[in-house]
Amino acid sequence: MKPAPFEYVAASSAADAVEALRRHGDEAKVLAGGQSLIPMLALRLARPAALVDINGCGDLLEIFARERAPLLAEALRWVAHPPIRNRGTVVGSIVHADPASELPALLLCLDGEVVARRRGGERVIAADQLYVAPLTTSLESDELATAVRFTLPPEGAGWGFAEVTRRHGDFALVGCAAVLALDGAGAVTHARLGFFGVGGTPVRSGPGESALLGRQPTPARIGEAAKAAAAALRPDGDLHATAEYRSTVAATLASRVLAAALERCGKAA
Ligand SMILES: Cc1cc2nc3c(=O)[nH]c(=O)nc-3n(C[C@H](O)[C@H](O)[C@H](O)COP(=O)(O)OP(=O)(O)OC[C@H]3O[C@@H](n4cnc5c(N)ncnc54)[C@H](O)[C@@H]3O)c2cc1C
């Protein structure tokens, strides 16, 4: 199938794109890398009257991250294949809100936020206020996401990341990321544990984190935290995996990424 007809708007700056979104109201969609949107247009799962192409917006092109956020660099290796990663954008992935995507879960684990701009103003949406349902965020139809910000973990923090896929480059059946920091006595002062592929939105695990905070992260305690985290998830079953499988894998991955994060604590990234 081919996409339904649409008006094509090539924006040359964020302000230009915001103006086009205002003009078209609910009828427009932003075109970033197109790696998710174009297939949806071709299948007519999305039928916007206008596409606002932001690839020519030079003011939206900066990425600052690599050395200071190795967790992000690791997670990006798991996103699809190089041709898709070369076209797809970080902001596009985050606002597309696929629950099996890596970056939305990292936005939660790294206390991130999205800057949303519409004509006449800007607002900042915290990660825990962004994800509403599969492929649905709290971004309004006339808002352009102009930036995504991640908060650097505390000095000396360690991180872990793991996912299970059927084939390399597939969306994750289950994925998990963790960040841990310790005080001088070895107790956990900062804990972030996030999952993807286990429900309608990415999940940050309150039970998993509170099982560790203020305590010594012994192997037994890490196991308990992983179990508590997995027990609180409500994964769906589908053609690719049952809910039970996802729960079991989530517990295993949580235990592995927490152990990896602990191992990296106090070491250079
Ligand atoms: C074969 C295949 C495998 C893939 N595997 C993975 C994977 O393993 N993990 C993963 O995370 N992703 C995967 N993806 C998705 C890929 O990473 C997408 O590129 C990404 O999810 C969307 O980014 P994009 O820049 O292409 O956005 P687009 O496709 O251009 O847009 C996606 C949606 O976000 C909206 N949007 C984009 N940018 C903005 C903005 N700045 N402001 C407001 N709205 C905006 C669009 O209007 C659209 O609704 C895969 C894709 C393919 C085709």
Side-chain angles (χ1 to χ4, degrees), residues 29-30 32-37 80 84 89 93 95 101-102 145 170-171:
K29 277 262 172 216
V30 174
Q35 299 303 295
S36 297
L37 184 57
I84 292 162
T89 65
S93 176
V95 303
S101 272
E102 290 80 0
D170 281 1
F171 277 100

Side-chain angles (χ1 to χ4, degrees), residues 174-191:
V174 182
C176 188
V179 181
L180 290 179
L182 308 177
D183 65 15
V188 176
T189 54
H190 177 93

Side-chain angles (χ1 to χ4, degrees), residues 99-237:
S101 272
E102 290 80 0
L103 293 178
L106 262 57
L107 193 75
L108 289 174
C109 284
L110 294 172
D111 303 310
E113 55 192 26
V114 168
V115 181
R117 192 188 302 175
R118 58 154 52 116
R119 197 182 190 207
E122 214 172 64
R123 67 177 175 132
V124 174
I125 309 171
D128 63 359
Q129 301 296 310
L130 184 67
Y131 295 107
V132 174
L135 308 185
T136 309
T137 66
S138 53
L139 214 58
E140 301 288 344
S141 58
D142 63 345
E143 285 182 318
L144 177 71
T146 53
V148 169
R149 298 181 191 135
F150 299 92
T151 306
L152 289 177
E155 197 69 28
W159 57 274
F161 181 90
E163 69 176 62
V164 169
T165 57
R166 287 173 72 90
R167 297 164 307 185
H168 177 68
D170 281 1
F171 277 100
L173 295 176
V174 182
C176 188
V179 181
L180 290 179
L182 308 177
D183 65 15
V188 176
T189 54
H190 177 93
R192 296 288 183 272
L193 183 62
F195 293 92
F196 50 103
V198 292
T201 62
V203 177
R204 186 174 147 193
S205 175
E209 293 175 6
S210 49
L212 291 168
L213 276 171
R215 302 187 170 154
Q216 299 288 327
T218 59
R221 202 154 272 145
I222 282 185
E224 283 163 22
K227 270 195 205 141
L233 299 173
R234 295 287 170 268
D236 301 316

Side-chain angles (χ1 to χ4, degrees), residues 16-42:
D16 212 15
V18 165
E19 177 52 27
L21 288 176
R22 185 201 62 80
R23 234 179 19 250
H24 289 92
D26 275 356
E27 298 295 310
K29 277 262 172 216
V30 174
L31 174 66
Q35 299 303 295
S36 297
L37 184 57
I38 298 295
M40 289 174 81
L41 295 181

